[in-house]
Amino acid sequence: MKEQIALERLTGLIAFARAGSMGSYTAAARSLSISPSAVSKSVQRLERHLGLSLFTRTTRSLTLTPEGRELHERALRLLRDAEEIEQAAMTARSEPSGTLRIAAPLPIGVHVIAPALPAFRQRYPKVMVDLRLNDQVVDIIEQRIDVAVRIGELADSRLLSRRLMPHRLCAFASPAYLATHGTPKHPDELEGHDTVSLRYQSTGQAFRWPFQIGERVIEIVPPSGIIVDVSDALVATLAAGGGIGISATFIAAPYVARGELVPVLPEFAVERHNITALWPESRRANPAVRAFLTLLQEVFQERMTATASLSV
């Protein structure tokens, strides 16, 4: 009986830690692959046992009480310790296996990672891949992500990292648009052209168009008649004749290969070196993580070669 009670308390602490981090029972349930009611009941049993209210609940929000905040970090440590035990057990097995949780921005997930997953699964059939695509930056530790791919400068010192590849940002337009409106020869000549711009989902801010002019990089935000918040929508709009827009070359490359887009102002394109793989220290020796990092290096190298061959 005592063992059963102890197990219920452990279950409650796990549910409490995840709900406190994610701000809702529904999100916690999704990350734990159980129902929201199971999370709620586990937390309620823990509250009865402790004699404390851990959350202030409303119809729209779930907020830690002062007592809950004090206990939450301890519960997170317990959860991290449990995950490290699980990772140590997985490391003892030489063959990659288990669930591999991957987080990536939408364009990289769609254009680079997803097409490589069938071959990865053929090579490692005991690995189940859980790919999560989101332009929001997720907390890798709290959401139990094994490997994340990010575009941009890194700020999280708790994580191990590996640079994957540089990527070029270039302007593109459809041949039909350029035949009608002309081709600019300098960024200053973009004024008067129809443009399509990207808005970041995470901040709502407009993407600033970079151009390499001599030794310096300038950035502009042109007035655009069309603004989208997904990179694939941007290149599709350009291919349909929407105007001129900036895209990473690995996204535009299939359109260029089909003749639907052509580079504009390629001599002013900017190269960035900030596509990076990240993973927690606790996953350092995980065979599935090591195997996936190797795959990432392979597919990004192939993408660099393919993009270079298209002169974009």
Side-chain angles (χ1 to χ4, degrees):
M1 184 64 178
K2 289 184 178 180
E3 291 181 358
Q4 183 178 357
I5 294 173
L7 181 60
E8 284 188 354
R9 292 176 194 167
L10 181 59
T11 302
L13 285 168
I14 292 172
F16 163 60
R18 192 56 51 81
S21 295
M22 307 190 79
S24 79
Y25 288 150
T26 300
R30 190 180 302 116
S31 70
L32 294 169
S33 299
I34 58 177
S35 68
S37 64
V39 173
S40 176
K41 289 177 182 178
S42 292
V43 172
Q44 288 174 9
R45 283 195 297 267
L46 180 65
E47 288 179 321
R48 286 197 298 270
H49 174 74
L50 297 175
L52 296 171
S53 293
L54 300 174
F55 292 111
T56 300
R57 302 166 179 84
T58 69
T59 56
R60 295 186 177 182
S61 66
L62 189 69
T63 306
L64 288 165
T65 63
E67 296 81 6
R69 282 195 296 273
E70 288 186 17
L71 295 176
H72 185 244
E73 181 56 39
R74 297 186 182 185
L76 284 178
R77 285 201 298 270
L78 176 65
L79 192 57
R80 287 194 288 266
D81 288 343
E83 289 182 354
E84 287 180 6
I85 292 171
E86 180 183 5
Q87 292 299 317
M90 292 177 65
T91 301
R93 302 193 297 267
S94 58
E95 183 180 3
S97 62
T99 299
L100 185 67
R101 299 175 184 85
I102 304 161
L106 188 63
I108 287 181
V110 169
H111 294 277
V112 182
I113 297 177
L117 292 182
F120 180 76
R121 286 270 297 126
Q122 284 186 337
R123 195 183 306 176
Y124 304 109
K126 293 185 178 180
V127 178
M128 195 281 281
V129 177
D130 180 355
L131 177 60
R132 307 176 184 191
L133 304 183
N134 197 319
D135 286 334
Q136 305 285 338
V137 176
V138 300
D139 189 307
I140 294 173
I141 303 296
E142 290 188 359
Q143 297 199 23
R144 303 174 66 199
I145 299 299
D146 297 300
V147 181
V149 177
R150 286 183 180 165
I151 303 174
E153 298 308 313
L154 307 180
D156 198 331
S157 61
R158 300 175 297 169
L159 303 171
L160 303 176
S161 65
R162 180 182 298 174
R163 295 283 186 180
L164 293 173
M165 80 167 194
H167 68 291
R168 294 183 79 217
L169 295 169
C170 183
F172 294 90
S174 71
Y177 174 85
L178 296 175
T180 302
H181 297 84
T183 302
K185 303 300 183 185
H186 189 278
D188 291 342
E189 297 177 18
L190 286 170
E191 186 175 351
H193 276 277
D194 295 332
T195 61
V196 182
S197 288
L198 181 73
R199 181 181 63 245
Y200 290 110
Q201 291 183 359
S202 57
T203 64
Q205 299 296 311
F207 174 73
R208 302 180 66 84
W209 295 24
F211 293 102
Q212 182 80 45
I213 299 179
E215 297 297 319
R216 64 193 184 98
V217 174
I218 67 164
E219 294 183 342
I220 64 172
V221 181
S224 296
I226 301 175
I227 300 173
V228 300
D229 64 359
V230 176
S231 298
D232 285 89
L234 185 142
V235 292
T237 304
L238 297 178
I244 299 173
I246 293 279
S247 171
T249 54
F250 71 83
I251 299 174
Y255 291 84
V256 174
R258 294 192 297 265
E260 298 174 15
L261 288 178
V262 295
V264 176
L265 304 170
E267 63 272 31
F268 299 98
V270 171
E271 189 169 276
R272 295 271 167 86
H273 296 263
N274 58 0
I275 299 181
T276 308
L278 305 167
W279 64 100
E281 171 71 32
S282 62
R283 307 298 199 271
R284 177 194 290 272
N286 183 299
V289 169
R290 292 202 306 265
F292 188 73
L293 290 171
T294 299
L295 171 80
L296 285 177
Q297 287 192 305
E298 292 173 357
V299 297
F300 274 100
Q301 183 60 47
E302 291 172 2
R303 183 63 57 144
M304 284 177 62
T305 302
T307 301
S309 69
L310 291 170
S311 299
V312 297

